[in-house]
Amino acid sequence: TSGGVGEFEIGFIEAGLETRPTVVVVTETDVVEKGDAAATTSREVASLATYDTLPTYYRAAITAVIAAEAEDFERVVGVAADLTGVSDPLEQLDIITAAVEEVSDLLALIRFLERSGSNLPGSTGTASEDDVVATSASYITTVRTAVLSRACALAVAEEYDSADQVEDMQARLVTLIDVELDTEPADETFTALEDLRASLISALTSVTDRLPRLRTVTQLAPIPALVLA
């Protein structure tokens, strides 16, 4: 402790490329592709629904459900999906999806997802009415999945100022995806949404790692401005 000489041995190895074959870098493109896959899958599931076999009254009920979803989308997001004169529900879905793709306001899409999805008709237990509910659910899932896909794509393209902002956005979108998963959509849609969820988390986590965090500090005593500077 008072003088003397210390000797240390430090070993070095030649620097080289560090390979991590188990690490997958998820990029913005990956999230977009996963979102597109989820939207496409849900649309394909809806196309297999039993709409054509239902009585006319129930077909009208289903198109009314989709129209209500389109009106809600326009009211909350501010982008119109004009279904005037369109009676085929799959054509209606295509129109709404096209409107979704025009939206560049991420928060508007999130507001729609948080407020919509309650337009399903009730069921009294008959086979036809159960088909109406199932078919309507598949169509609404298609609309909401298209919105989720667009929202996730916008989220990973967003410019953030802090890691806190990224984590808040990630939490909101993951919660919305989980809500959609809880509705127990068709297996193909469920799997596609899970893939989108995992890709989104990985992509936003990589953004978080590069950004500073915001912290609120309360000083217990005055501090000179020069010190703060």
Side-chain angles (χ1 to χ4, degrees):
T1 58
S2 57
V5 177
E7 294 184 0
F8 302 90
E9 290 185 3
I10 303 176
F12 294 91
I13 60 173
E14 182 180 355
L17 178 64
E18 182 180 8
T19 58
R20 296 182 179 177
T22 60
V23 175
V24 178
V25 178
V26 177
T27 64
E28 177 182 333
T29 301
D30 294 316
V31 175
V32 172
E33 290 177 350
K34 291 294 193 306
D36 288 345
T40 300
T41 299
S42 64
R43 171 63 167 74
E44 290 172 348
V45 169
S47 70
L48 299 175
T50 58
Y51 175 81
D52 290 339
T53 66
L54 294 172
T56 302
Y57 171 79
Y58 291 133
R59 294 188 193 185
I62 291 172
T63 53
V65 165
I66 301 175
E69 201 75 354
E71 290 174 4
D72 197 28
F73 180 81
E74 180 177 358
R75 178 178 60 82
V76 178
V77 179
V79 176
D82 186 8
L83 306 181
T84 304
V86 181
S87 59
D88 181 82
L90 292 179
E91 291 183 21
Q92 292 178 330
L93 288 180
D94 291 339
I95 292 172
I96 297 175
T97 300
V100 169
E101 292 173 352
E102 295 177 8
V103 179
S104 59
D105 187 343
L106 175 58
L107 295 180
L109 291 174
I110 290 177
R111 285 196 298 271
F112 169 76
L113 289 165
E114 290 173 339
R115 300 179 187 183
S116 68
S118 59
N119 297 318
L120 288 175
S123 171
T124 59
T126 66
S128 293
E129 289 175 345
D130 286 344
D131 282 344
V132 171
V133 172
T135 303
S136 300
S138 69
Y139 291 147
I140 287 183
T141 294
T142 300
V143 175
R144 290 173 58 83
T145 302
V147 175
L148 272 171
S149 169
R150 180 65 173 151
C152 290
L154 290 174
V156 294
E158 189 91 355
E159 293 291 335
Y160 299 95
D161 295 324
S162 70
D164 307 78
Q165 291 179 343
V166 183
E167 289 173 346
D168 288 344
M169 182 57 66
Q170 176 179 306
R172 294 184 71 177
L173 285 173
V174 167
T175 297
L176 290 168
I177 295 175
D178 288 343
V179 168
E180 210 61 39
L181 292 172
D182 286 343
T183 65
E184 299 182 357
D187 291 346
E188 302 93 326
T189 303
F190 189 96
T191 300
L193 285 171
E194 280 195 321
D195 288 344
L196 174 59
R197 184 184 190 278
S199 183
L200 176 72
I201 291 174
S202 296
L204 290 183
T205 298
S206 68
V207 175
T208 300
D209 293 340
R210 300 194 300 267
L211 291 174
R213 293 187 176 277
L214 300 178
R215 291 292 179 265
T216 301
V217 178
T218 302
Q219 301 295 339
L220 300 180
I223 296 178
L226 183 59
V227 174
L228 289 175

